[in-house]
Amino acid sequence: MSYSYLSHLDCPQCGETYGADSIQQLCVCGSPLLVRYKLDILKEEWSREALLGRKPDLWRYHELLPVLDCNNVVTLGEGMTPLLEIGEFITKR
Ligand SMILES: [Zn+2]
């Protein structure tokens, strides 16, 4: 299994494609680029059980994030917004 199934970037306006291995900005036509993933391969290799035991943060879904090497992950622990009882929230203010 790959850490990320990142494939390439493409333009939703003109269809131009770009490699994901170099820094890209906008397409030559001015449109923002979309990140594409190898979903067909991911579907074959991944299962829900892969999530078990992972930390409860954004990076538990690393297969669909555009970072190829786990050593390049930068995080402040974001993700998994907790549910709070509204009464508890009001009394703390
Ligand atoms: Zn374009």
Side-chain angles (χ1 to χ4, degrees):
M1 288 204 42
S2 299
Y3 188 74
S4 172
Y5 287 77
L6 176 65
S7 174
H8 64 281
L9 306 173
D10 72 19
C11 175
Q13 297 299 316
C14 73
E16 186 70 43
T17 61
Y18 298 87
D21 55 348
S22 60
I23 296 174
Q24 305 293 340
Q25 299 293 325
L26 298 174
C27 179
V28 293
C29 76
S31 173
L33 298 170
L34 299 177
V35 180
R36 301 298 185 187
Y37 293 89
K38 302 170 197 164
L39 297 178
D40 50 339
I41 298 173
L42 178 62
K43 184 177 179 181
E44 295 294 322
E45 296 182 358
W46 190 84
S47 69
R48 290 181 183 203
E49 289 74 30
L51 293 177
L52 298 174
R54 290 188 184 175
K55 290 176 55 178
D57 63 21
L58 173 74
W59 293 96
R60 72 190 311 225
Y61 307 110
H62 57 78
E63 288 91 349
L64 292 174
L65 292 170
V67 174
L68 296 173
D69 184 341
C70 65
N71 295 314
N72 295 331
V73 168
V74 177
T75 182
L76 296 173
E78 58 278 85
M80 304 306 229
T81 304
L83 295 176
L84 302 175
E85 292 286 337
I86 190 69
E88 178 182 338
F89 180 72
I90 291 171
T91 57
K92 287 185 177 178
R93 295 193 132 217

